[in-house]
Amino acid sequence: AAFYHLYARILFDLDREMEAIGFLGVANSWNPTDAAIMFDICYFYKEKKVADRLLFLAQWMMHFVFDKESIGDGLRLVGYGYFLNGKYERAYACYYESLRYGGDTHGSSAEIKAILQAMNVHDTYDISKRELNELFLGEKFVPGPSIQGFNTLKSTAKKMYEAEEYADA
């Protein structure tokens, strides 16, 4: 996976993006939970404005990213997918929640401004947890870290600790 990912990055640098995205797909098939690979794929679809692929892949990625910056970046990718699909309130909610986690927020203010303009709203506004849950009621995705991901991570760390693999735990 690492080799194909590196090769894809080189191809992107050489402006051979169609070949590069193919090799990112190969890298992803070798390691489907590598966040760096998934981010590169998602950013490709964001740049090309392919909403459905971006939304699907970014939501999938949110199941296994667990560091704060990745959660924030992932939420913005999901939000951008919603924006492209015309679901502006959900897009705003994703961007709003992403600010809790940080990550690379470069360009986010312009994207939030575009979402607000599309909603015909002039200023940012707060969203309560209740409003967030109501907005995503019945959805498989709710903006925020993956509870299943953290439970799996906690379970794995506990097993490693009990096996006295302290460094890995």
Side-chain angles (χ1 to χ4, degrees), residues 15-34:
D15 291 327
R16 294 167 50 190
E17 62 184 20
M18 294 315 292
E19 287 178 80
I21 195 66
F23 280 102
L24 279 178
V26 173
N28 181 250
S29 68
W30 279 99
N31 189 352
T33 60
D34 186 315

Side-chain angles (χ1 to χ4, degrees), residues 12 17-18 42-51 84:
F12 275 122
E17 62 184 20
M18 294 315 292
C42 287
Y43 281 116
F44 173 80
Y45 286 121
K46 178 182 179 184
E47 179 184 314
K48 298 298 178 191
K49 297 185 180 352
V50 181
L84 291 175

Side-chain angles (χ1 to χ4, degrees), residues 111-141:
E111 292 170 357
I112 291 171
K113 188 180 239 182
I115 293 167
L116 290 171
Q117 284 178 335
M119 292 170 40
N120 202 22
V121 174
H122 301 291
D123 291 321
T124 58
Y125 58 93
D126 294 337
I127 300 175
S128 70
K129 269 296 191 200
R130 184 180 61 72
E131 292 170 324
L132 189 71
N133 289 333
E134 287 175 1
L135 184 60
F136 287 89
L137 189 64
E139 293 284 320
K140 292 180 182 177
F141 175 80

Side-chain angles (χ1 to χ4, degrees), residues 11-75:
L11 289 172
F12 275 122
D13 288 342
L14 296 172
D15 291 327
R16 294 167 50 190
E17 62 184 20
M18 294 315 292
E19 287 178 80
I21 195 66
F23 280 102
L24 279 178
V26 173
N28 181 250
S29 68
W30 279 99
N31 189 352
T33 60
D34 186 315
I37 295 169
M38 288 301 296
F39 272 114
D40 283 351
I41 294 170
C42 287
Y43 281 116
F44 173 80
Y45 286 121
K46 178 182 179 184
E47 179 184 314
K48 298 298 178 191
K49 297 185 180 352
V50 181
D52 292 336
R53 294 295 296 164
L54 173 60
L55 196 54
F56 174 78
L57 292 171
Q59 285 178 343
W60 160 250
M61 180 178 60
M62 291 303 298
H63 287 291
F64 58 82
V65 293
F66 55 86
D67 64 284
K68 285 180 70 171
E69 292 79 21
S70 294
I71 293 169
D73 290 340
L75 285 173

